[in-house]
Amino acid sequence: MNSKNNEQASSRPPTTEEFETALERKGSRYILRLYVSGMTPRSQRAIENIKNIFETSYKGSYDLEVIDVYQHPEQAKESQILAVPMLIKQLPLPIRRLIGDMSDEERVLVGLGIRKTE
């Protein structure tokens, strides 16, 4: 794959084949994308909260990409982002989407399908 294809692959949602390949390559790593709107207080809280959650319980087993929708509107459009902050768990499947500042750890983990409800 050349650099042009790599750029295209990172800015659009992955295909099923790309998901399966990434899943095999990444093992059980969590692949997360957090869409924010600039550095608003709500965006900053969402970034801090999601980092705290994953650094506490899943350190070294996740990749977090923070995407500013003002700087990358094409990625927001392709991922159908209608509200921010929005966290998308890309892998492992199924894809999950959460909206908000990620302040409630239990709701975040249950919403991402990482922790079961009791």
Side-chain angles (χ1 to χ4, degrees):
M1 189 179 278
N2 64 31
S3 64
K4 185 177 179 182
N5 287 340
N6 284 338
E7 290 175 18
Q8 289 175 345
S10 66
S11 64
R12 63 170 168 68
T15 64
T16 302
E17 183 179 342
E18 290 169 337
F19 261 133
E20 290 173 357
T21 302
L23 187 59
E24 289 174 12
R25 188 176 57 235
K26 295 287 185 173
S28 62
R29 290 183 69 84
Y30 292 100
I31 307 298
L32 308 168
R33 284 189 175 166
L34 179 61
Y35 291 86
V36 297
S37 56
M39 289 309 292
T40 64
R42 189 170 165 93
S43 294
Q44 290 177 338
R45 275 196 314 274
I47 294 167
E48 280 181 32
N49 289 334
I50 203 66
K51 283 183 176 178
N52 286 338
I53 291 169
F54 278 86
E55 281 297 312
T56 301
S57 303
Y58 303 96
K59 188 172 185 166
S61 62
Y62 75 98
D63 293 323
L64 174 65
E65 180 181 7
V66 178
I67 300 165
D68 184 343
V69 297
Y70 291 135
Q71 294 182 6
H72 302 284
E74 72 288 348
Q75 288 187 29
K77 183 177 179 182
E78 289 174 8
S79 296
Q80 301 177 344
I81 303 301
L82 301 175
V84 288
M86 178 180 285
L87 179 68
I88 301 177
K89 182 188 73 154
Q90 300 279 331
L91 290 172
L93 296 174
I95 294 174
R96 298 284 177 98
R97 294 171 172 245
L98 296 176
I99 297 171
D101 67 2
M102 314 298 151
S103 60
D104 186 333
E105 181 175 344
E106 184 67 23
R107 288 184 73 174
V108 169
L109 294 176
V110 170
L112 293 176
I114 295 171
R115 188 176 291 164
K116 303 283 185 199
T117 57
E118 294 180 15

